[in-house]
């Protein structure tokens, strides 16, 4: 069974897609799974043992470029028995159609009849979790999903991790608190930097060091957090936002003794590394995309106006995050502190 997955365009979704890959492997142990996805996702897919290879998709998010999709599809013709589409867009169905893949599976969306020949109708009440919506595509329609559900689990190579530690001059002589204060979705997912700074201060005074993770867009908020720390404490923190590649960020986060994160892609990375995790929710809900790990504390206020799933607060106050006090997160950290395993690949060049 040769299966082509059309992957999602967001970090967290790609991590959660591993639950589908595991279900496919459980059903078809000898299957071959390739994932067509943006190039940035390669470090995630390379850390998933279920995936044979990541196929780089050269088009940006939202780009149609019909001729390019036809060319990619024709190049894949005859290589796969089934294609499974995780995005619900019409354009995501074009490559498998042009590849003439015999079975093309996906949820109904954007008038994809004809492009798909195994069209599913989503029952949101039956599948409230995003991972359930991914996993269901591995089975025939109407089949109850087997439990317990698989969890995303990224593997780490010791040599790669050691190289990242050396590159950034980081040492593991003290416990590491990883902070992920960014969120590509928008301001309504970002816990205030002053709150993150207070948590950093508390842990540094307890003898911890703090590593800040994120994209280039998050570098400024990382600096804002560090600047709020007084001299003597500030030196025990490092802002890695925008400095690391995604591969390096994954390897370094695997060293964390605890993580505090907004509802973001890095939250799902931390969970897939089985790091003790405090997840801060504001405008979104853990009832749809919860972090899947052994030691997780979800912290949220649950105001009447949340979850709204809006990028910006329609009231302008962001109270669902602003009023969430740092002490609550610090207390949640105390609950999760303790050993958590991460899968290490031994003896791999």
């Amino acid at each position: 069974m040769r299966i082509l997955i059309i992957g999602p365009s967001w970090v967290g979704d790609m991590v959660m897609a591993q639950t589908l890959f595991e279900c496919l492997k459980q059903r078809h142990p000898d299957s071959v799974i390739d994932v067509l996805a943006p190039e940035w996702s390669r470090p995630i897919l390379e850390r998933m043992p279920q995936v044979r290879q990541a196929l780089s998709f050269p088009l940006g998010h939202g780009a149609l470029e019909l001729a390019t999709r036809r060319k990619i599809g024709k190049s894949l013709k005859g290589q796969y028995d089934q294609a499974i589409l995780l995005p619900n867009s019409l354009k995501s169905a074009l490559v498998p159609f042009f590849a003439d893949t015999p079975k093309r599976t996906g949820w109904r969306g954007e008038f994809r009849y004809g492009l798909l020949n195994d069209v599913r109708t989503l029952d949101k009440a039956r599948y409230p979790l995003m991972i359930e919506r991914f996993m269901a595509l591995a089975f025939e329609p109407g089949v109850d999903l087997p439990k317990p559900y698989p969890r995303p689990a990224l593997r780490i190579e010791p040599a790669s991790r050691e190289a990242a530690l050396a590159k950034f001059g980081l040492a593991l002589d003290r416990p590491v608190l990883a902070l992920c204060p960014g969120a590509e979705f928008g301001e309504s997912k970002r816990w205030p930097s002053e709150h993150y700074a207070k948590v950093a201060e508390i842990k540094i005074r307890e003898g911890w060091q703090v590593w800040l993770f994120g994209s280039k867009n998050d570098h400024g908020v990382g600096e804002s957090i560090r600047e709020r720390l007084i001299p003597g404490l500030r030196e025990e923190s490092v802002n890695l936002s925008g400095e690391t590649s995604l591969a390096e960020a994954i390897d370094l986060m695997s060293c964390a003794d605890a993580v505090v994160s907004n509802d973001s892609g890095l939250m799902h990375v931390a969970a897939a590394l089985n790091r003790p995790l405090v997840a801060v929710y504001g405008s979104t809900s853990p009832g749809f995309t919860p972090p899947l790990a052994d030691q997780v504390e979800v912290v949220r206020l649950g105001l009447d106006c949340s979850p709204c799933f809006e990028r910006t607060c329609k009231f302008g106050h962001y109270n669902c995050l602003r009023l969430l006090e740092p002490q609550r997160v610090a207390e949640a950290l105390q609950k999760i502190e303790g050993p958590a395993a991460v899968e290490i690949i031994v003896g791999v060049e």
Side-chain angles (χ1 to χ4, degrees):
M1 184 77 169
R2 301 165 300 168
I3 305 171
L4 176 67
I5 306 292
I6 307 300
S9 299
W10 300 97
V11 170
D13 292 357
M14 187 62 76
V15 172
M16 288 184 285
Q18 192 180 16
T19 57
L20 165 64
F21 308 155
E22 179 59 26
C23 286
L24 289 169
K25 279 294 187 179
Q26 290 174 5
R27 288 199 70 199
H28 312 286
D30 296 328
S31 63
V32 170
I33 299 174
D34 293 342
V35 182
L36 181 64
E39 178 62 24
W40 61 257
S41 65
R42 184 175 298 274
I44 297 175
L45 295 168
E46 288 177 341
R47 286 159 174 78
M48 295 179 175
Q50 302 86 354
V51 176
R52 180 181 68 170
Q53 64 177 330
L55 304 176
S56 181
F57 189 65
L59 301 180
H61 180 61
L64 177 57
E65 297 195 34
L66 187 62
T68 302
R69 293 178 190 271
R70 180 183 290 109
K71 181 178 179 181
I72 295 171
K74 295 295 184 184
S75 72
L76 298 176
K77 191 169 184 177
Q79 296 187 33
Y80 299 100
D81 304 299
Q82 182 182 15
I84 300 177
L85 287 67
L86 297 186
N88 289 329
S89 63
L90 181 148
K91 56 184 175 289
S92 67
L94 292 172
V95 167
F97 176 76
F98 290 131
D100 198 23
T101 306
K103 186 176 182 180
R104 304 184 298 276
T105 303
W107 296 111
R108 185 178 64 186
E110 283 196 4
F111 308 104
R112 302 197 292 185
Y113 293 106
L115 296 178
L116 301 183
N117 56 16
D118 179 22
V119 182
R120 311 292 182 85
T121 300
L122 176 61
D123 182 346
K124 294 182 178 180
R126 183 176 187 182
Y127 301 129
L129 297 176
M130 178 172 284
I131 62 165
E132 293 173 327
R133 299 174 188 183
F134 288 167
M135 292 163 55
L137 296 177
F139 301 92
E140 297 304 315
V143 173
D144 290 333
L145 300 181
K147 293 185 177 181
Y149 292 164
R151 290 178 175 178
L154 302 180
R155 301 187 306 179
I156 300 296
E157 296 183 13
S160 178
R161 180 161 68 174
E162 291 301 319
L165 287 167
K167 177 178 177 178
F168 294 97
L170 300 171
L172 301 178
D173 53 339
R174 285 161 294 145
V176 176
L177 173 65
L179 300 182
C180 306
E184 293 298 319
F185 181 78
E187 193 68 24
S188 64
K189 279 191 177 184
R190 297 191 187 110
W191 198 41
S193 58
E194 59 266 29
H195 293 350
Y196 271 105
K198 183 60 180 178
V199 171
E201 176 186 345
I202 291 171
K203 300 310 289 182
I204 291 172
R205 291 188 185 278
E206 292 178 0
W208 290 51
Q209 57 181 315
V210 171
W211 299 354
L212 293 141
F213 290 89
S215 67
K216 289 182 179 180
N217 294 335
D218 304 319
H219 188 82
V221 69
E223 286 303 291
S224 175
I225 291 169
R226 294 188 71 246
E227 288 169 1
R228 294 175 186 274
L229 299 171
I230 64 172
L233 300 183
R234 186 178 306 146
E235 290 73 17
E236 307 305 322
S237 66
V238 59
N239 185 9
L240 299 168
S241 302
E243 302 297 328
T244 69
S245 65
L246 179 56
E248 291 165 341
I250 294 171
D251 290 339
L252 292 174
M253 191 173 290
S254 74
C255 301
D257 295 276
V259 180
V260 177
S261 179
N262 300 329
D263 175 16
S264 66
L266 287 179
M267 177 193 76
H268 292 287
V269 169
L273 293 169
N274 204 27
R275 298 298 81 207
L277 171 65
V278 176
V280 181
Y281 280 79
S283 67
T284 54
S285 169
F288 181 50
T289 54
L292 304 170
D294 292 332
Q295 301 175 60
V296 175
E297 288 288 322
V298 171
V299 181
R300 61 189 297 264
L301 288 180
L303 302 182
D304 290 342
C305 58
S306 66
C308 66
F309 298 99
E310 299 292 338
R311 292 178 180 269
T312 58
C313 177
K314 62 183 178 182
F315 301 111
H317 52 53
Y318 297 96
N319 281 346
C320 61
L321 292 167
R322 187 176 61 84
L323 298 181
L324 184 55
E325 294 294 333
Q327 191 58 39
R328 285 195 55 183
V329 170
E331 291 169 356
L333 277 171
Q334 295 292 334
K335 294 180 182 179
I336 63 169
E337 287 175 15
V342 60
E343 184 180 357
I344 305 293
I345 306 175
V346 179
V348 177
E349 296 296 331

